[in-house]
């Protein structure tokens, strides 16, 4: 059964991915991830974004096995970490993630960061997983256009998704245009700027719709055709973050939000990271 918040985008291979998902980075307290995923799914979320490096794939797996929603309705993303690049290492890392999650297949498998000199070979491993049917879609994360060019030069499969830092202070105009031209779906990480939502413009726009700043930012993602995966361990905020399908930001408000872009990153720069 689909839920009213389970609106989906169609990826370049025809797979449908929810526009809204739950991010589970930093959910490492005992039972935290199980409780958040259970609460999210009962609220209507169908997409969960984890990663090998989040050290919580087992908890995600337990929650989705116990949630009572058929597996085929759920969309589970995980990622190959930086120390597991390379063809064989990535295949081994995938099997470890699949085992920890306790799943037969993963919906979306991403290269977490473009580790210099390694990501092209790793992409070949993801293509094998895709051709084998172990994953329904493959993609990348934190890739700039020049990293994507390297992949596209050798790819048999064009990445379906690029998950990057994206919020009103980091509008990623050039990358959005690039991804759109290659039919690569952009996905926003840290969409809520880690909860730093106390901006006068956000408060003002939110008040005019009877919504919260978080809801305005997440709605802005959707209207810019960017998949979004806010993190919350709080059941009330999980509901709040999902309540974004019943209003539409005007063109003028979209323009005001777009104009907040000042290329500000809260996270690491994909061209200069060291982990
Ligand atoms: N591919 C990559 O390299 C990266 C991917 N990610 C993915 O993106 C997801 C989201 O990004 P993340 O960095 O976690 O940060 P977010 O931008 O989603 O912000 C999460 C923070 O905002 C708070 N919050 C949630 N909802 C609200 C609300 N309605 N009002 C006020 N505060 C709120 C949360 O607190 P509380 O839990 O208490 O509600 C938490 O402190 C991650 O969980 C992960 O899945 C993140 C970083 C990098
Ligand atoms: O959350 C993620 O997905 C990330 O890649 C980063 O937060 C990264 O793991 C990090 O913070 C390393 O210090």
């Amino acid at each position: 059964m689909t839920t009213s918040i389970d609106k989906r985008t169609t990826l370049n291979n025809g797979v449908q991915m929810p526009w809204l998902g739950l991010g589970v980075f930093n959910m490492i307290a005992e039972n935290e991830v199980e409780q958040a995923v259970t609460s999210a799914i009962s609220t209507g979320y169908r997409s969960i974004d984890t990663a090998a490096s989040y050290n919580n794939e087992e908890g995600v797996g337990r929650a989705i096995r116990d949630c009572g929603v058929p597996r085929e309705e759920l969309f589970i993303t995980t990622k190959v970490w930086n120390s597991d690049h390379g063809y064989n290492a990535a295949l081994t890392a995938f099997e470890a993630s699949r085992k920890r999650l306790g799943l037969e297949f993963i919906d979306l498998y991403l290269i977490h960061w473009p580790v210099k000199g390694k990501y092209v070979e790793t992409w070949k491993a993801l293509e094998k997983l895709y051709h084998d049917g172990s994953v329904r879609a493959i993609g990348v994360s934190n890739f700039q256009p020049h990293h994507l060019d390297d992949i596209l030069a050798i790819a048999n499969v064009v990445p379906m998704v690029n998950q990057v830092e994206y919020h009103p202070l980091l509008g990623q105009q050039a990358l959005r245009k690039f991804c759109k031209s290659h039919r690569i779906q952009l996905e926003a990480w840290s969409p809520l700027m880690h909860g730093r939502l106390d901006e006068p413009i956000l408060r003002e726009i939110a008040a005019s719709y009877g919504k919260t700043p978080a809801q305005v930012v997440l709605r802005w993602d959707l209207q810019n055709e960017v998949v979004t995966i806010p993190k919350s361990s709080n059941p009330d905020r999980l509901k709040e973050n999902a309540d974004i399908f019943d209003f539409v930001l005007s063109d003028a408000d979209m323009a005001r939000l777009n104009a907040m872009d000042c290329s500000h990153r809260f996270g690491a720069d994909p061209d200069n990271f060291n982990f």
Side-chain angles (χ1 to χ4, degrees):
M1 188 192 73
T2 57
T3 66
S4 57
I5 66 170
D6 187 28
K7 303 259 190 311
R8 299 193 179 213
T9 175
T10 303
L11 303 179
N12 67 27
N13 64 341
V15 164
Q16 300 226 308
M17 175 179 189
W19 284 108
L20 174 73
L22 173 70
V24 300
F25 177 53
N26 252 338
M27 292 193 194
I28 44 170
E30 202 182 346
N31 293 329
E32 183 181 5
V33 82
E34 286 91 332
Q35 283 165 6
V37 171
T38 303
S39 177
I41 292 174
S42 71
T43 300
Y45 289 70
R46 291 294 177 263
S47 168
I48 308 294
D49 180 83
T50 185
S53 67
Y54 300 172
N55 288 321
N56 60 16
E57 289 172 310
E58 279 148 340
V60 170
R62 276 194 293 278
I64 61 184
R65 271 194 304 284
D66 293 347
C67 73
V69 171
R71 170 68 184 94
E72 57 276 13
E73 281 186 30
L74 301 172
F75 189 97
I76 310 302
T77 300
T78 192
K79 317 182 187 91
V80 57
W81 186 239
N82 300 350
S83 49
D84 292 320
H85 274 258
Y87 190 82
N88 290 324
L91 294 179
T92 303
F94 174 80
E95 286 310 330
S97 279
R98 173 153 70 174
K99 190 166 171 210
R100 283 190 295 268
L101 284 159
L103 296 175
E104 249 175 71
F105 66 90
I106 304 294
D107 296 276
L108 175 62
Y109 197 48
L110 303 177
I111 299 181
H112 207 143
W113 288 86
V115 176
K116 213 169 176 179
K118 304 245 177 120
Y119 53 84
V120 167
E121 189 187 330
T122 304
W123 184 251
K124 291 315 235 179
L126 267 62
E127 286 186 339
K128 173 176 168 40
L129 294 168
Y130 180 63
H131 289 310
D132 287 353
S134 301
V135 291
R136 296 176 65 230
I138 51 177
V140 295
S141 173
N142 299 302
F143 275 47
Q144 306 273 46
H146 70 92
H147 300 118
L148 286 165
D149 276 334
D150 292 342
I151 297 284
L152 294 171
I154 55 90
N156 291 319
V157 180
V158 173
M160 285 106 201
V161 172
N162 186 15
Q163 182 187 108
V164 299
E165 182 175 351
Y166 178 81
H167 43 68
L169 303 183
L170 183 66
Q172 300 271 24
Q173 292 299 338
L175 183 62
R176 275 181 63 207
K177 206 166 156 198
F178 183 99
C179 286
K180 197 171 176 125
S181 71
H182 291 280
R183 299 186 60 223
I184 299 169
Q185 174 65 56
L186 206 69
E187 179 177 21
W189 62 253
S190 292
L192 299 177
M193 304 179 278
H194 298 213
R196 296 179 189 90
L197 295 158
D198 196 21
E199 291 277 340
I201 302 182
L202 296 180
R203 282 205 308 272
E204 188 194 316
I205 295 177
S208 72
Y209 291 90
K211 289 286 180 180
T212 65
Q215 289 168 330
V216 164
V217 169
L218 298 172
R219 181 71 208 180
W220 171 81
D221 291 342
L222 302 187
Q223 289 184 221
N224 278 330
E225 300 182 344
V226 178
V227 166
T228 192
I229 46 169
K231 176 263 171 187
S232 183
S233 303
N234 174 307
D236 291 334
R237 285 199 285 271
L238 281 170
K239 288 196 184 77
E240 175 187 333
N241 296 344
D243 189 13
I244 55 172
F245 294 94
D246 64 348
F247 74 113
V248 177
L249 294 165
S250 68
D251 290 349
D253 286 332
M254 286 298 290
R256 289 175 78 196
L257 292 162
N258 289 338
M260 288 175 73
D261 186 8
C262 56
S263 301
H264 179 81
R265 289 183 188 277
F266 293 99
D269 184 336
D271 283 318
N272 185 21
F273 65 94
N274 186 21
F275 45 77

